[in-house]
Amino acid sequence: KDQQGYFMFSDFLCYLPSRNPKEVQYLIDWYFNMELTMQYNSSVGGWTGFTPAGLITAAKFNADKHDVVQGI
């Protein structure tokens, strides 16, 4: 990130709370300018927005029937 630009990144995680493979959670954390804006959680089955822009984008992603992540 520089003084004139924007910074966006995502973390892709697999959370293993136990040895049971049915309990594995797939998470995507989406950051913009160092702020967590939204998250995908396979246990929830969709995106959750945390900021105004994240709420809008999460709603669009959740409405997209062709979103590959929704099938995980």
Side-chain angles (χ1 to χ4, degrees):
K1 176 181 173 189
D2 62 11
Q3 297 295 342
Q4 305 300 316
Y6 299 99
F7 183 78
M8 185 284 217
F9 73 95
S10 297
D11 283 330
F12 297 81
L13 309 149
C14 285
Y15 175 61
L16 304 146
S18 73
R19 293 182 181 261
N20 183 349
K22 293 182 180 184
E23 293 182 14
V24 174
Q25 294 177 12
Y26 181 63
L27 306 168
I28 302 173
D29 291 341
W30 190 300
Y31 294 86
F32 183 75
N33 284 350
M34 306 302 282
E35 181 177 29
L36 179 62
T37 59
M38 63 183 193
Q39 180 185 67
Y40 176 82
N41 185 322
S42 62
S43 295
V44 173
W47 293 90
T48 302
F50 302 114
T51 65
L55 291 168
I56 293 167
T57 307
K60 288 181 180 183
F61 281 16
N62 287 331
D64 183 356
K65 301 297 183 204
H66 301 289
D67 185 357
V68 174
V69 177
Q70 302 297 339
I72 293 176

